[in-house]
Amino acid sequence: MTALRPSQASVTLSIVMAVLNEAENILPVCQELAGVLDRLPENTEIVVVDDGSTDATVQKLLEARQQYLPNIRIISHPRRLGKSAALRTGATAAHGEWMATIDGDGQDDPSSIIRMLELARTANTQPPLVVGVRRKRNDRLSRRVATKLANGLRRRLLNDGCPDTGAPLKLFSREMFLRIPQFEGVHRFLPALLGHYGAPLICHEVQHRARLHGSSKYTNFNRALVGIRDLLGVMWLQNRTHLPDHLTEH
């Protein structure tokens, strides 16, 4: 069952997927996503942002529209701008109260979004950030070790309380996401940044699978170099962003 495209004023959930050269993976990913729509709000929308792919990713997305997701929204960058820029493009184009992010490589189980949305909507707090924590990583040993070290360093320096800040599966208030500063790599620091804006953190354990095809777009080395620079930048932002605890209107 696939829901009709909701009106802009009535979207509960926007599922945003940033993709780059995922031609081999995107059809099965869209097929699996279509299979969980009947367990999500009827007014859910799906927005896919192609970040300047040089393969047949866009053509495969158009096939997915014909076969599985007739109302999928497909947006393309003219060149590669980075995952965070693609997610920002998707958030700006989307209309949902809530926004969920998912990767296009098949490693994420989209059915996890069902429970993550329930946790967000029933939280008796400000709109929370729900992170799909990958307890058992299905990656190479070197990747798992590098990720563990990076997550440990982030937690120590940013005190964000999240064991897996780079998890692709996340769900949060779209309006709050659009408030935080934009820079490449911001998607890896959402627990710290959204937490600074008052979003409580909810960690939800999810299944992590091997990529369907291809390899990661990042190496451990380039991820580490960029991550250190970004980490210092986020620490600066936390120190320089001053927000009131509450407001009084007279």
Side-chain angles (χ1 to χ4, degrees):
M1 174 181 174
T2 301
L4 296 176
R5 179 181 290 186
S7 68
Q8 295 184 12
S10 64
V11 180
T12 297
L13 174 66
S14 298
I15 299 174
V16 176
M17 186 191 311
V19 295
L20 172 66
N21 293 336
E22 297 289 3
E24 292 183 293
N25 299 321
I26 202 64
L27 275 175
V29 167
C30 287
Q31 182 180 17
E32 188 176 26
L33 190 53
V36 304
L37 283 183
D38 60 351
R39 291 179 285 163
L40 290 168
E42 185 178 1
N43 56 357
T44 295
E45 68 173 356
I46 298 171
V47 181
V48 181
V49 181
D50 174 69
D51 187 33
S53 292
T54 55
D55 65 359
T57 296
V58 173
Q59 290 86 338
K60 293 297 182 181
L61 283 167
L62 293 172
E63 289 182 33
R65 177 184 281 165
Q66 293 295 321
Q67 297 182 35
Y68 309 121
L69 296 167
N71 300 309
I72 189 173
R73 299 174 59 198
I74 305 167
I75 302 169
S76 292
H77 285 170
R79 59 183 175 84
R80 183 177 181 179
L81 299 176
K83 183 175 180 179
S84 291
L87 291 176
R88 185 77 171 203
T89 294
T92 303
H95 307 112
E97 174 188 359
W98 297 98
M99 173 173 156
T101 61
I102 185 171
D103 275 356
D105 56 14
Q107 289 193 280
D108 303 321
D109 183 351
S111 66
S112 301
I113 297 173
I114 300 165
R115 178 58 180 157
M116 291 170 70
L117 180 62
E118 290 176 355
L119 290 170
R121 297 179 80 180
T122 57
N124 190 25
T125 62
Q126 291 192 62
L129 164 65
V130 185
V131 176
V133 175
R134 302 164 290 183
R135 290 297 183 191
K136 187 175 181 181
R137 293 288 300 271
N138 210 317
D139 286 320
R140 299 188 309 273
L141 177 61
S142 61
R143 180 76 176 274
R144 296 199 303 270
V145 170
T147 300
K148 185 174 182 179
L149 291 173
N151 278 322
L153 182 63
R154 289 189 194 109
R155 289 181 72 182
R156 177 180 291 271
L157 295 180
L158 298 180
N159 193 31
D160 59 16
C162 185
D164 190 8
T165 59
L169 274 171
K170 295 186 177 77
L171 189 143
F172 42 82
S173 160
R174 185 179 67 89
E175 185 272 335
M176 187 173 287
F177 174 76
L178 289 172
R179 271 199 251 161
I180 64 177
Q182 164 62 21
F183 60 92
E184 184 48 39
V186 69
H187 61 279
R188 293 191 294 270
F189 296 96
L190 291 186
L193 292 170
L194 290 178
H196 199 67
Y197 279 75
L201 175 66
I202 298 175
C203 292
H204 173 63
E205 187 171 337
V206 299
Q207 179 186 9
H208 187 247
R209 308 178 293 201
R211 284 181 64 95
L212 294 175
H213 303 281
S215 58
S216 173
K217 308 301 185 295
Y218 307 96
T219 66
N220 293 334
F221 181 71
N222 67 23
R223 193 186 288 264
L225 287 179
V226 173
I228 292 171
R229 180 190 64 190
D230 291 345
L231 180 58
L232 295 174
V234 172
M235 293 172 66
W236 181 87
L237 279 172
Q238 285 185 317
N239 182 257
R240 301 301 295 170
T241 302
H242 304 293
L243 301 169
D245 295 328
H246 64 276
L247 299 174
T248 302
E249 182 174 349
H250 301 281

